[in-house]
Structures are given as structure tokens and as C-alpha cells.
Amino acid sequence: MGLALELVEISKTYNGLEVLQGCSWTFEAGLTHVIMGPNGTGKSTLLRLCALIEVPDRGRVIYLADGQPLAPDLALKRRLTLLLPGVGVFNTSVFHNVAYGLKIRGMGSKEVEERVGAILETVGLAAKRRQRALDLSTGQSKRLGLARAMVIEPEVILLDEPTASIDQENSEIIEGIIKKIKAERKATIVMVTHDPAQAERLADRLLLMRDGKIAPL
Amino acid sequence: MDTIFQGFISAFKLILALNPELLKIIWLSIQVSGGALLLAILLGLPLGALMALRRLPLRGLILNLINTGMGLPPVVVGLVLYLLLSRSGPLGFLSLLYTPGAMIIAQFILAFPIVTSLSHTAIVNVNPIIRQAARVLGANPLQEALTVIREARYGIITGSIAGLGRVTAEVGSVIIVGGNIAGYTRVITTTIALETDKGNFDLAIALGIILLTISLLINVALRAIQRLGRTSSGVILWD
């Protein structure tokens, strides 16, 4: 079961513009929360704060395991991940991109080989494992990003527009992978999308972001 | 014209015969320039990376000084180093003047700003999303920094090769602090200068050809690495 995530009155300002304005919400553990809303309402900012790669100007982001708050240290950060909209593909092979998260956790090469191989099969990139990752198409890069996130088996997965700017085929593959994560891993998923039909298909909780705050849709 | 032609013929004979004197000079040149470059990488890469990845105090001033250092005239470096290392100078007690060690220091001073500045530029230009990607995958601060540095590897190698290019062709500083002592501190460039003065063109031309070949190889390597970093070659380095 994934971790629960509680946002307490968080605010964040960029260039004098208050993107998040005292936003509070609780994302229940093990559910898929899909956030929709117009551009510029702070959805991506919210995900970066949830991923603990940025800190709010005010308020707190609290992760809870069985109701107990967790310290925002490296150990917690390694229990969650964020799929960035631009993925951030490393200039190495497909295999080594996916292996990255395991290697930095000190996993042995045999286990890395097995886990990466299995994930590449799942996302349909097994045939490209030795290829330079920067040569992948946008859709394949998104699948690579998802594989990179999945292989570390996070308890919280934050997805920032995972199917934006890609073709229908890749979009369906990615959606299939997300459904598989939901069914098999019971991770807490917080996802941002602009596709209402996709949101309906994937969400346990459908949310709307407006004026820097979250509300149920 | 005959002298030049004859010089080339004799030069090729020296090269093909693997003349021991020639080999000794080449080997010392490799040791001096290689040692200087190694030192420049060992100190310049961490400094370039630190300035690129951390908000250091006086970063702007340090960068300006380093960028200025890229254009240091070798003879000035030689002169200053000579004054420091001479018997009456503040570092005279080290007894380094007229030794290969002094030549390595001189070439290090010339290569260090190039390696540092180009490493810094390469690391600064890595897309910020790489750092975020490393972080969201669970990298600690050191792993994050190493990931960014790895992404900048082609630029860093380019900087190192540019540093090597600068020092292998350099004569001004090593002739002052090395003294051009036969069999001890005589390198390719200083030998060319000396033999040309003496009118002994055979060895000078032979060494000139070798120096040009080294420069050519450095440039070929540079272009290959730049191409590898920029295009979809499908080749992976340092997985």
C-alpha cells in the first residue's frame, strides 16, 4: 500500500505570481488521484512540491505511513518519484537510463539486469535496450521515463502529463502501464492530465485545480 | 629550396629510423604535457564543477580570473615562475628551476584555466531537467552532481583536449623554466627553436612534423568527440 500525502496550506510564488495559494488536500494511500485544470494554475508546481524537489514558501507537504508522519529525508524521497513532462533522458543507453535508480541505491548488477529487463519488456522497449536513449521518439521517451520510475518500485508515483504531445498508440501503451501499476502495485498515484476521458478512465479521485487550490470535480 | 627539401628527407629518415635522441625528446614532451594536463584536470574539473553546481561566494570574480587566464602569454608565465623558483626567489628552496617539474608547473598554469573554464561551461549548459530527473529518481546530492558531470562529459573532454593542444605547442614558458638542457629538459618545441637557431634543420623539421601530427590527432579527436556528443551516432561512451 502506498503512502498518504497531506498538503497543509501550501503557497508558492514564482516571479511575483502566487501560483499556489494556501492549497490544502489529502491524497489517500493506494488510490489514483487525477488533477485537471487550466494551464498556469499550479499543477506542475504542486507535483514538484509533492516530489520534495522544491519547498513551498509557506505550508507543509507531509507524507504519512499508517497515519504517522515521515521525515522528508532521502529515505522518504526514495519511496516516491515524479515523471517530469520533459522526462530528462540521460545521454546513455536505454538500459542504463532505466538502471539508474537501482544503481544509485547500490543494487547488484545481476538483480539490476533482471529488473530492468522485465520493465523494458513491460513498456515495450526491450528491443531498444542498447540504443542511445536520446534517439528515442517522444512517445518512447515517455515510456522510458515511466520504466525508470516503475523499476524503483515507488510507493508514490507523481505523473505530470504522461501522455502529453504523443501519438495515440504511445498514449494507449502508457495508459495501459498506469492501469497495470494501479492493479498490481497499489501505489498512490497523483497524475495531472488535460484529457477528460483519460482522467475518467484512470481516476479513483477526480480533482480540479483552480486559482491555486484543489477541489473535487 | 634545396635545404628545405633535404631537411624533409633527413627528417623522415630520422623518424623512420626511430632515432633515440628523437624518441627521448618526444617521450619527455609527453611526460611534461601529460603531467601538466593530468594536474589541470585533477584540479580544474572539480573547481569548474563546483562553480557550476554551487553558488560559491566570489564566483563571478573567480570565473573572470580563470577566463583571463585562458589568454595568459606563456613567456609571462615562464618569467613569473622563473622569478618564484630561482635560487633567490620565494620558492627557490624547492630547487625546481631547470627541471621537468618546473616545466610541468608552467604548462599546468597554462592548461588549468582552459580545463576549468570549459568544464564549467559544459556543466552549466547541461539541461536543468537532468538534475531534476536524478533527484526524483532518488539521487543524493553527490550522485546528482556526478550525473550532471557525466552528462557534460563530451564538453569536459573537449576542454581537456583543448588544454593539451595549448601546452604541447607551447615553447615560451618551458624554455625559460626548463633551460632546454639536452637529455633532461629538452622537449619538442624547445628543440625546434634551438636546432633552427643552429641551422640544423633535419631534427627541427622531423620534430615539426611530429608536432603537427600530434596537433592533427588532437584536432581529429576533438571533432570526433564533439560529433559524438551532438549527433545521434548511436555510440555510447562510459556506460
Side-chain angles (χ1 to χ4, degrees):
Chain A
M1 183 66 78
L3 305 172
L5 167 58
E6 196 177 327
L7 310 178
V8 185
E9 291 285 314
I10 57 168
S11 298
K12 186 76 180 176
T13 302
Y14 284 117
N15 301 324
L17 182 71
E18 195 172 28
V19 187
L20 295 173
Q21 304 169 9
C23 177
S24 294
W25 195 258
T26 300
F27 298 101
E28 300 127 290
L31 298 182
T32 299
H33 312 259
V34 179
I35 306 172
M36 299 191 66
N39 286 331
T41 49
K43 300 185 297 298
S44 295
T45 302
L46 181 87
L47 289 188
R48 286 198 302 275
L49 294 175
C50 292
L52 305 176
I53 59 171
E54 285 184 30
V55 288
D57 299 331
R58 287 190 304 280
R60 286 180 301 156
V61 176
I62 306 166
Y63 278 92
L64 304 153
D66 301 322
Q68 296 301 308
L70 301 169
D73 53 13
L74 184 65
L76 171 61
K77 287 173 187 172
R78 288 188 167 178
R79 295 171 75 174
L80 48 107
T81 193
L82 163 66
L83 177 63
L84 297 154
V87 181
V89 172
F90 302 134
N91 189 6
T92 57
S93 67
V94 168
F95 177 88
H96 285 94
N97 260 271
V98 179
Y100 180 85
L102 301 177
K103 285 183 179 174
I104 60 173
R105 285 164 173 78
M107 188 176 281
S109 55
K110 192 164 177 266
E111 199 179 346
V112 169
E113 181 77 32
E114 283 169 10
R115 281 173 67 165
V116 173
I119 290 288
L120 287 176
E121 287 287 346
T122 305
V123 301
L125 291 174
K128 296 185 181 293
R129 60 180 283 153
R130 297 184 66 80
Q131 192 175 315
R132 192 165 95 140
L134 288 176
D135 294 341
L136 296 178
S137 69
T138 310
Q140 289 169 337
S141 296
K142 291 267 187 182
R143 277 150 59 189
L144 173 76
L146 209 49
R148 223 166 48 172
M150 280 168 64
V151 80
I152 55 178
E153 299 186 348
E155 291 164 80
V156 178
I157 304 177
L158 308 158
L159 303 167
D160 196 350
E161 299 191 43
T163 57
S165 315
I166 59 173
D167 58 45
Q168 186 66 26
E169 188 190 345
N170 273 300
S171 181
E172 282 169 11
I173 293 171
I174 287 173
E175 213 177 295
I177 298 166
I178 296 169
K179 282 178 183 164
K180 196 174 157 72
I181 299 170
K182 274 187 69 170
E184 293 175 3
R185 300 223 353 97
K186 298 286 181 203
T188 307
I189 299 175
V190 182
M191 173 177 155
V192 165
T193 182
H194 286 290
D195 181 348
Q198 184 182 63
E200 286 285 353
R201 285 193 296 272
L202 293 174
D204 298 315
R205 298 280 186 271
L206 203 48
L207 308 168
L208 178 69
M209 189 103 193
R210 184 180 286 169
D211 301 327
K213 287 184 176 152
I214 298 175
L217 190 68
Chain B
M1 197 66 190
D2 271 358
T3 314
I4 297 171
F5 183 72
Q6 200 56 47
F8 270 97
I9 299 285
S10 306
F12 277 113
K13 280 181 184 167
L14 280 174
I15 294 168
L16 292 174
L18 299 175
N19 177 280
E21 190 188 353
L22 193 73
L23 292 181
K24 194 167 187 181
I25 291 167
I26 295 168
W27 177 232
L28 182 64
S29 299
I30 291 170
Q31 284 178 302
V32 169
S33 297
L37 182 70
L38 192 67
L39 266 180
I41 293 170
L42 285 175
L43 296 174
L45 175 56
L47 179 61
L50 203 62
M51 286 192 299
L53 298 169
R54 293 256 178 243
R55 291 189 178 279
L56 291 182
L58 303 175
R59 188 175 64 164
L61 177 69
I62 297 170
L63 262 178
N64 275 333
L65 287 174
I66 286 167
N67 288 337
T68 306
M70 287 173 77
L72 272 179
V75 284
V76 176
V77 171
L79 172 66
V80 173
L81 203 55
Y82 179 91
L83 294 173
L84 290 173
L85 295 176
S86 62
R87 198 172 290 272
S88 57
L91 300 176
F93 66 93
L94 294 172
S95 302
L96 275 173
L97 197 62
Y98 303 136
T99 67
M103 295 158 77
I104 290 174
I105 294 170
Q107 292 203 341
F108 159 74
I109 293 168
L110 295 170
F112 174 74
I114 296 173
V115 173
T116 308
S117 180
L118 295 184
S119 298
H120 170 263
T121 305
I123 296 167
V124 154
N125 285 330
V126 170
N127 191 332
I129 198 172
I130 293 297
R131 205 169 175 177
Q132 286 186 8
R135 209 177 291 172
V136 298
L137 290 169
N140 63 30
L142 178 64
Q143 290 167 331
E144 190 184 309
L146 291 175
T147 303
V148 175
I149 292 169
R150 189 182 61 176
E151 287 296 304
R153 60 191 179 273
Y154 297 109
I156 292 168
I157 295 168
T158 301
S160 303
I161 294 177
L164 183 63
R166 163 96 152 142
V167 295
T168 48
E170 184 279 321
V171 64
S173 69
V174 286
I175 207 161
I176 295 175
V177 299
N180 207 11
I181 303 165
Y184 185 51
T185 60
R186 190 164 290 176
V187 288
I188 296 176
T189 51
T190 58
T191 310
I192 292 172
L194 179 75
E195 298 301 323
T196 305
D197 266 358
K198 284 164 38 182
N200 179 12
F201 297 113
D202 301 0
L203 189 58
I205 293 173
L207 287 167
I209 291 168
I210 288 162
L211 197 59
L212 277 173
T213 308
I214 292 171
S215 291
L216 181 74
L217 290 175
I218 288 170
N219 277 297
V220 168
L222 252 178
R223 283 181 60 80
I225 288 162
Q226 283 168 344
R227 217 171 28 243
L228 210 58
R230 285 177 192 159
T231 64
S232 302
S233 62
V235 181
I236 309 287
L237 283 182
W238 300 298
D239 277 343

PDB file of all heavy atoms in Angstrom, chain B residues 45-76:
ATOM      1  N   LEU B  45      38.769  20.339 -13.141  1.00  0.00           N
ATOM      2  CA  LEU B  45      37.423  19.766 -13.271  1.00  0.00           C
ATOM      3  C   LEU B  45      36.595  19.936 -11.989  1.00  0.00           C
ATOM      4  O   LEU B  45      35.460  20.423 -12.050  1.00  0.00           O
ATOM      5  CB  LEU B  45      37.512  18.296 -13.707  1.00  0.00           C
ATOM      6  CG  LEU B  45      36.194  17.524 -13.782  1.00  0.00           C
ATOM      7  CD1 LEU B  45      35.204  18.215 -14.703  1.00  0.00           C
ATOM      8  CD2 LEU B  45      36.442  16.095 -14.260  1.00  0.00           C
ATOM      9  N   PRO B  46      37.145  19.585 -10.814  1.00  0.00           N
ATOM     10  CA  PRO B  46      36.354  19.811  -9.589  1.00  0.00           C
ATOM     11  C   PRO B  46      36.002  21.283  -9.376  1.00  0.00           C
ATOM     12  O   PRO B  46      34.889  21.605  -8.966  1.00  0.00           O
ATOM     13  CB  PRO B  46      37.257  19.301  -8.466  1.00  0.00           C
ATOM     14  CG  PRO B  46      38.210  18.381  -9.123  1.00  0.00           C
ATOM     15  CD  PRO B  46      38.411  18.895 -10.510  1.00  0.00           C
ATOM     16  N   LEU B  47      36.952  22.181  -9.671  1.00  0.00           N
ATOM     17  CA  LEU B  47      36.669  23.608  -9.476  1.00  0.00           C
ATOM     18  C   LEU B  47      35.586  24.078 -10.460  1.00  0.00           C
ATOM     19  O   LEU B  47      34.644  24.785 -10.066  1.00  0.00           O
ATOM     20  CB  LEU B  47      37.948  24.444  -9.655  1.00  0.00           C
ATOM     21  CG  LEU B  47      37.780  25.950  -9.497  1.00  0.00           C
ATOM     22  CD1 LEU B  47      37.278  26.305  -8.088  1.00  0.00           C
ATOM     23  CD2 LEU B  47      39.084  26.699  -9.772  1.00  0.00           C
ATOM     24  N   GLY B  48      35.708  23.666 -11.725  1.00  0.00           N
ATOM     25  CA  GLY B  48      34.690  24.026 -12.719  1.00  0.00           C
ATOM     26  C   GLY B  48      33.329  23.490 -12.324  1.00  0.00           C
ATOM     27  O   GLY B  48      32.307  24.178 -12.426  1.00  0.00           O
ATOM     28  N   ALA B  49      33.315  22.236 -11.841  1.00  0.00           N
ATOM     29  CA  ALA B  49      32.056  21.610 -11.434  1.00  0.00           C
ATOM     30  C   ALA B  49      31.465  22.324 -10.221  1.00  0.00           C
ATOM     31  O   ALA B  49      30.254  22.594 -10.168  1.00  0.00           O
ATOM     32  CB  ALA B  49      32.290  20.135 -11.125  1.00  0.00           C
ATOM     33  N   LEU B  50      32.318  22.646  -9.274  1.00  0.00           N
ATOM     34  CA  LEU B  50      31.861  23.322  -8.050  1.00  0.00           C
ATOM     35  C   LEU B  50      31.218  24.669  -8.388  1.00  0.00           C
ATOM     36  O   LEU B  50      30.148  25.009  -7.869  1.00  0.00           O
ATOM     37  CB  LEU B  50      33.066  23.523  -7.121  1.00  0.00           C
ATOM     38  CG  LEU B  50      32.785  23.693  -5.643  1.00  0.00           C
ATOM     39  CD1 LEU B  50      32.132  22.465  -5.067  1.00  0.00           C
ATOM     40  CD2 LEU B  50      34.069  23.987  -4.885  1.00  0.00           C
ATOM     41  N   MET B  51      31.855  25.409  -9.281  1.00  0.00           N
ATOM     42  CA  MET B  51      31.310  26.723  -9.656  1.00  0.00           C
ATOM     43  C   MET B  51      30.017  26.586 -10.450  1.00  0.00           C
ATOM     44  O   MET B  51      29.149  27.448 -10.389  1.00  0.00           O
ATOM     45  CB  MET B  51      32.339  27.504 -10.479  1.00  0.00           C
ATOM     46  CG  MET B  51      33.469  28.038  -9.625  1.00  0.00           C
ATOM     47  SD  MET B  51      34.470  29.220 -10.532  1.00  0.00           S
ATOM     48  CE  MET B  51      35.080  28.217 -11.855  1.00  0.00           C
ATOM     49  N   ALA B  52      29.902  25.476 -11.182  1.00  0.00           N
ATOM     50  CA  ALA B  52      28.694  25.277 -11.984  1.00  0.00           C
ATOM     51  C   ALA B  52      27.520  24.785 -11.143  1.00  0.00           C
ATOM     52  O   ALA B  52      26.371  25.105 -11.424  1.00  0.00           O
ATOM     53  CB  ALA B  52      28.983  24.273 -13.099  1.00  0.00           C
ATOM     54  N   LEU B  53      27.828  24.015 -10.098  1.00  0.00           N
ATOM     55  CA  LEU B  53      26.754  23.350  -9.357  1.00  0.00           C
ATOM     56  C   LEU B  53      26.404  24.027  -8.035  1.00  0.00           C
ATOM     57  O   LEU B  53      25.346  23.763  -7.474  1.00  0.00           O
ATOM     58  CB  LEU B  53      27.141  21.883  -9.089  1.00  0.00           C
ATOM     59  CG  LEU B  53      27.350  21.020 -10.347  1.00  0.00           C
ATOM     60  CD1 LEU B  53      27.985  19.690  -9.980  1.00  0.00           C
ATOM     61  CD2 LEU B  53      26.028  20.790 -11.054  1.00  0.00           C
ATOM     62  N   ARG B  54      27.289  24.859  -7.531  1.00  0.00           N
ATOM     63  CA  ARG B  54      27.044  25.506  -6.234  1.00  0.00           C
ATOM     64  C   ARG B  54      27.145  27.023  -6.372  1.00  0.00           C
ATOM     65  O   ARG B  54      27.881  27.516  -7.205  1.00  0.00           O
ATOM     66  CB  ARG B  54      28.088  25.049  -5.204  1.00  0.00           C
ATOM     67  CG  ARG B  54      27.961  23.601  -4.843  1.00  0.00           C
ATOM     68  CD  ARG B  54      27.309  23.428  -3.483  1.00  0.00           C
ATOM     69  NE  ARG B  54      27.149  22.014  -3.188  1.00  0.00           N
ATOM     70  CZ  ARG B  54      25.974  21.428  -3.013  1.00  0.00           C
ATOM     71  NH1 ARG B  54      24.871  22.115  -3.063  1.00  0.00           N
ATOM     72  NH2 ARG B  54      25.905  20.139  -2.742  1.00  0.00           N
ATOM     73  N   ARG B  55      26.430  27.711  -5.525  1.00  0.00           N
ATOM     74  CA  ARG B  55      26.517  29.166  -5.510  1.00  0.00           C
ATOM     75  C   ARG B  55      27.671  29.572  -4.590  1.00  0.00           C
ATOM     76  O   ARG B  55      27.479  29.815  -3.405  1.00  0.00           O
ATOM     77  CB  ARG B  55      25.206  29.775  -4.996  1.00  0.00           C
ATOM     78  CG  ARG B  55      24.067  29.599  -5.957  1.00  0.00           C
ATOM     79  CD  ARG B  55      22.858  30.390  -5.522  1.00  0.00           C
ATOM     80  NE  ARG B  55      21.782  30.254  -6.465  1.00  0.00           N
ATOM     81  CZ  ARG B  55      21.674  30.936  -7.593  1.00  0.00           C
ATOM     82  NH1 ARG B  55      22.576  31.836  -7.905  1.00  0.00           N
ATOM     83  NH2 ARG B  55      20.650  30.737  -8.397  1.00  0.00           N
ATOM     84  N   LEU B  56      28.852  29.636  -5.161  1.00  0.00           N
ATOM     85  CA  LEU B  56      30.036  29.968  -4.367  1.00  0.00           C
ATOM     86  C   LEU B  56      30.162  31.480  -4.196  1.00  0.00           C
ATOM     87  O   LEU B  56      29.832  32.232  -5.115  1.00  0.00           O
ATOM     88  CB  LEU B  56      31.301  29.476  -5.073  1.00  0.00           C
ATOM     89  CG  LEU B  56      31.552  27.977  -5.185  1.00  0.00           C
ATOM     90  CD1 LEU B  56      32.877  27.750  -5.885  1.00  0.00           C
ATOM     91  CD2 LEU B  56      31.580  27.337  -3.818  1.00  0.00           C
ATOM     92  N   PRO B  57      30.673  31.930  -3.040  1.00  0.00           N
ATOM     93  CA  PRO B  57      30.958  33.358  -2.923  1.00  0.00           C
ATOM     94  C   PRO B  57      32.096  33.730  -3.887  1.00  0.00           C
ATOM     95  O   PRO B  57      32.985  32.905  -4.128  1.00  0.00           O
ATOM     96  CB  PRO B  57      31.391  33.510  -1.454  1.00  0.00           C
ATOM     97  CG  PRO B  57      31.740  32.145  -0.994  1.00  0.00           C
ATOM     98  CD  PRO B  57      30.962  31.174  -1.808  1.00  0.00           C
ATOM     99  N   LEU B  58      32.036  34.899  -4.441  1.00  0.00           N
ATOM    100  CA  LEU B  58      33.058  35.413  -5.378  1.00  0.00           C
ATOM    101  C   LEU B  58      33.155  34.580  -6.665  1.00  0.00           C
ATOM    102  O   LEU B  58      34.183  34.573  -7.335  1.00  0.00           O
ATOM    103  CB  LEU B  58      34.444  35.458  -4.705  1.00  0.00           C
ATOM    104  CG  LEU B  58      34.561  36.275  -3.419  1.00  0.00           C
ATOM    105  CD1 LEU B  58      35.945  36.123  -2.820  1.00  0.00           C
ATOM    106  CD2 LEU B  58      34.253  37.743  -3.681  1.00  0.00           C
ATOM    107  N   ARG B  59      32.067  33.878  -6.983  1.00  0.00           N
ATOM    108  CA  ARG B  59      32.111  33.019  -8.175  1.00  0.00           C
ATOM    109  C   ARG B  59      32.409  33.830  -9.439  1.00  0.00           C
ATOM    110  O   ARG B  59      33.200  33.420 -10.289  1.00  0.00           O
ATOM    111  CB  ARG B  59      30.785  32.264  -8.326  1.00  0.00           C
ATOM    112  CG  ARG B  59      30.830  31.223  -9.425  1.00  0.00           C
ATOM    113  CD  ARG B  59      29.571  30.428  -9.484  1.00  0.00           C
ATOM    114  NE  ARG B  59      28.422  31.247  -9.840  1.00  0.00           N
ATOM    115  CZ  ARG B  59      27.264  30.767 -10.260  1.00  0.00           C
ATOM    116  NH1 ARG B  59      27.083  29.478 -10.324  1.00  0.00           N
ATOM    117  NH2 ARG B  59      26.273  31.564 -10.569  1.00  0.00           N
ATOM    118  N   GLY B  60      31.757  35.007  -9.533  1.00  0.00           N
ATOM    119  CA  GLY B  60      31.942  35.851 -10.705  1.00  0.00           C
ATOM    120  C   GLY B  60      33.389  36.288 -10.858  1.00  0.00           C
ATOM    121  O   GLY B  60      33.956  36.243 -11.950  1.00  0.00           O
ATOM    122  N   LEU B  61      33.997  36.657  -9.731  1.00  0.00           N
ATOM    123  CA  LEU B  61      35.394  37.108  -9.752  1.00  0.00           C
ATOM    124  C   LEU B  61      36.316  35.953 -10.155  1.00  0.00           C
ATOM    125  O   LEU B  61      37.205  36.117 -11.005  1.00  0.00           O
ATOM    126  CB  LEU B  61      35.776  37.646  -8.363  1.00  0.00           C
ATOM    127  CG  LEU B  61      37.230  38.084  -8.205  1.00  0.00           C
ATOM    128  CD1 LEU B  61      37.517  39.329  -9.025  1.00  0.00           C
ATOM    129  CD2 LEU B  61      37.572  38.327  -6.743  1.00  0.00           C
ATOM    130  N   ILE B  62      36.066  34.787  -9.556  1.00  0.00           N
ATOM    131  CA  ILE B  62      36.913  33.612  -9.865  1.00  0.00           C
ATOM    132  C   ILE B  62      36.798  33.276 -11.356  1.00  0.00           C
ATOM    133  O   ILE B  62      37.795  33.016 -12.028  1.00  0.00           O
ATOM    134  CB  ILE B  62      36.501  32.402  -8.994  1.00  0.00           C
ATOM    135  CG1 ILE B  62      36.724  32.695  -7.517  1.00  0.00           C
ATOM    136  CG2 ILE B  62      37.294  31.152  -9.394  1.00  0.00           C
ATOM    137  CD1 ILE B  62      36.119  31.671  -6.563  1.00  0.00           C
ATOM    138  N   LEU B  63      35.550  33.306 -11.866  1.00  0.00           N
ATOM    139  CA  LEU B  63      35.343  32.987 -13.288  1.00  0.00           C
ATOM    140  C   LEU B  63      36.069  33.977 -14.186  1.00  0.00           C
ATOM    141  O   LEU B  63      36.685  33.592 -15.177  1.00  0.00           O
ATOM    142  CB  LEU B  63      33.847  33.030 -13.601  1.00  0.00           C
ATOM    143  CG  LEU B  63      33.122  31.680 -13.601  1.00  0.00           C
ATOM    144  CD1 LEU B  63      31.649  31.872 -13.879  1.00  0.00           C
ATOM    145  CD2 LEU B  63      33.736  30.727 -14.616  1.00  0.00           C
ATOM    146  N   ASN B  64      35.998  35.257 -13.814  1.00  0.00           N
ATOM    147  CA  ASN B  64      36.690  36.281 -14.600  1.00  0.00           C
ATOM    148  C   ASN B  64      38.196  36.044 -14.612  1.00  0.00           C
ATOM    149  O   ASN B  64      38.849  36.156 -15.651  1.00  0.00           O
ATOM    150  CB  ASN B  64      36.412  37.684 -14.031  1.00  0.00           C
ATOM    151  CG  ASN B  64      35.114  38.237 -14.584  1.00  0.00           C
ATOM    152  OD1 ASN B  64      34.697  37.877 -15.684  1.00  0.00           O
ATOM    153  ND2 ASN B  64      34.461  39.101 -13.816  1.00  0.00           N
ATOM    154  N   LEU B  65      38.735  35.702 -13.433  1.00  0.00           N
ATOM    155  CA  LEU B  65      40.181  35.444 -13.339  1.00  0.00           C
ATOM    156  C   LEU B  65      40.560  34.237 -14.196  1.00  0.00           C
ATOM    157  O   LEU B  65      41.567  34.258 -14.910  1.00  0.00           O
ATOM    158  CB  LEU B  65      40.576  35.195 -11.878  1.00  0.00           C
ATOM    159  CG  LEU B  65      40.593  36.426 -10.970  1.00  0.00           C
ATOM    160  CD1 LEU B  65      40.848  36.014  -9.522  1.00  0.00           C
ATOM    161  CD2 LEU B  65      41.679  37.403 -11.425  1.00  0.00           C
ATOM    162  N   ILE B  66      39.733  33.186 -14.126  1.00  0.00           N
ATOM    163  CA  ILE B  66      40.034  31.966 -14.888  1.00  0.00           C
ATOM    164  C   ILE B  66      39.936  32.232 -16.388  1.00  0.00           C
ATOM    165  O   ILE B  66      40.796  31.796 -17.163  1.00  0.00           O
ATOM    166  CB  ILE B  66      39.103  30.822 -14.441  1.00  0.00           C
ATOM    167  CG1 ILE B  66      39.547  30.322 -13.064  1.00  0.00           C
ATOM    168  CG2 ILE B  66      39.106  29.668 -15.446  1.00  0.00           C
ATOM    169  CD1 ILE B  66      38.576  29.429 -12.381  1.00  0.00           C
ATOM    170  N   ASN B  67      38.898  32.962 -16.781  1.00  0.00           N
ATOM    171  CA  ASN B  67      38.762  33.265 -18.207  1.00  0.00           C
ATOM    172  C   ASN B  67      39.912  34.135 -18.708  1.00  0.00           C
ATOM    173  O   ASN B  67      40.372  33.980 -19.838  1.00  0.00           O
ATOM    174  CB  ASN B  67      37.414  33.939 -18.480  1.00  0.00           C
ATOM    175  CG  ASN B  67      36.274  32.940 -18.360  1.00  0.00           C
ATOM    176  OD1 ASN B  67      36.486  31.737 -18.503  1.00  0.00           O
ATOM    177  ND2 ASN B  67      35.078  33.412 -18.092  1.00  0.00           N
ATOM    178  N   THR B  68      40.376  35.033 -17.841  1.00  0.00           N
ATOM    179  CA  THR B  68      41.536  35.846 -18.205  1.00  0.00           C
ATOM    180  C   THR B  68      42.765  34.952 -18.362  1.00  0.00           C
ATOM    181  O   THR B  68      43.578  35.135 -19.269  1.00  0.00           O
ATOM    182  CB  THR B  68      41.817  36.917 -17.118  1.00  0.00           C
ATOM    183  OG1 THR B  68      40.614  37.654 -16.912  1.00  0.00           O
ATOM    184  CG2 THR B  68      42.926  37.865 -17.515  1.00  0.00           C
ATOM    185  N   GLY B  69      42.867  33.965 -17.481  1.00  0.00           N
ATOM    186  CA  GLY B  69      43.994  33.034 -17.507  1.00  0.00           C
ATOM    187  C   GLY B  69      44.085  32.231 -18.793  1.00  0.00           C
ATOM    188  O   GLY B  69      45.152  31.746 -19.161  1.00  0.00           O
ATOM    189  N   MET B  70      42.953  32.098 -19.499  1.00  0.00           N
ATOM    190  CA  MET B  70      42.961  31.336 -20.751  1.00  0.00           C
ATOM    191  C   MET B  70      43.857  32.001 -21.799  1.00  0.00           C
ATOM    192  O   MET B  70      44.332  31.354 -22.727  1.00  0.00           O
ATOM    193  CB  MET B  70      41.539  31.195 -21.300  1.00  0.00           C
ATOM    194  CG  MET B  70      40.696  30.218 -20.497  1.00  0.00           C
ATOM    195  SD  MET B  70      38.973  30.213 -21.022  1.00  0.00           S
ATOM    196  CE  MET B  70      39.085  29.256 -22.527  1.00  0.00           C
ATOM    197  N   GLY B  71      44.039  33.311 -21.637  1.00  0.00           N
ATOM    198  CA  GLY B  71      44.852  34.020 -22.628  1.00  0.00           C
ATOM    199  C   GLY B  71      46.224  34.400 -22.109  1.00  0.00           C
ATOM    200  O   GLY B  71      46.888  35.263 -22.675  1.00  0.00           O
ATOM    201  N   LEU B  72      46.661  33.757 -21.026  1.00  0.00           N
ATOM    202  CA  LEU B  72      47.971  34.095 -20.445  1.00  0.00           C
ATOM    203  C   LEU B  72      49.107  33.903 -21.452  1.00  0.00           C
ATOM    204  O   LEU B  72      49.224  32.832 -22.054  1.00  0.00           O
ATOM    205  CB  LEU B  72      48.254  33.167 -19.251  1.00  0.00           C
ATOM    206  CG  LEU B  72      47.764  33.573 -17.874  1.00  0.00           C
ATOM    207  CD1 LEU B  72      48.157  32.483 -16.864  1.00  0.00           C
ATOM    208  CD2 LEU B  72      48.371  34.896 -17.439  1.00  0.00           C
ATOM    209  N   PRO B  73      49.958  34.897 -21.632  1.00  0.00           N
ATOM    210  CA  PRO B  73      51.109  34.702 -22.532  1.00  0.00           C
ATOM    211  C   PRO B  73      52.107  33.744 -21.881  1.00  0.00           C
ATOM    212  O   PRO B  73      52.539  33.979 -20.751  1.00  0.00           O
ATOM    213  CB  PRO B  73      51.705  36.108 -22.662  1.00  0.00           C
ATOM    214  CG  PRO B  73      50.710  37.038 -22.049  1.00  0.00           C
ATOM    215  CD  PRO B  73      49.893  36.254 -21.088  1.00  0.00           C
ATOM    216  N   PRO B  74      52.490  32.660 -22.570  1.00  0.00           N
ATOM    217  CA  PRO B  74      53.405  31.674 -21.987  1.00  0.00           C
ATOM    218  C   PRO B  74      54.709  32.274 -21.479  1.00  0.00           C
ATOM    219  O   PRO B  74      55.209  31.875 -20.432  1.00  0.00           O
ATOM    220  CB  PRO B  74      53.656  30.701 -23.134  1.00  0.00           C
ATOM    221  CG  PRO B  74      52.434  30.798 -23.982  1.00  0.00           C
ATOM    222  CD  PRO B  74      52.000  32.223 -23.896  1.00  0.00           C
ATOM    223  N   VAL B  75      55.258  33.258 -22.198  1.00  0.00           N
ATOM    224  CA  VAL B  75      56.539  33.824 -21.732  1.00  0.00           C
ATOM    225  C   VAL B  75      56.388  34.543 -20.400  1.00  0.00           C
ATOM    226  O   VAL B  75      57.296  34.534 -19.577  1.00  0.00           O
ATOM    227  CB  VAL B  75      57.164  34.791 -22.773  1.00  0.00           C
ATOM    228  CG1 VAL B  75      57.788  34.027 -23.905  1.00  0.00           C
ATOM    229  CG2 VAL B  75      56.170  35.803 -23.282  1.00  0.00           C
ATOM    230  N   VAL B  76      55.218  35.149 -20.196  1.00  0.00           N
ATOM    231  CA  VAL B  76      54.979  35.827 -18.911  1.00  0.00           C
ATOM    232  C   VAL B  76      54.890  34.795 -17.794  1.00  0.00           C
ATOM    233  O   VAL B  76      55.436  34.980 -16.702  1.00  0.00           O
ATOM    234  CB  VAL B  76      53.688  36.692 -18.981  1.00  0.00           C
ATOM    235  CG1 VAL B  76      53.385  37.309 -17.626  1.00  0.00           C
ATOM    236  CG2 VAL B  76      53.841  37.779 -20.040  1.00  0.00           C
TER     237      VAL B  76
END
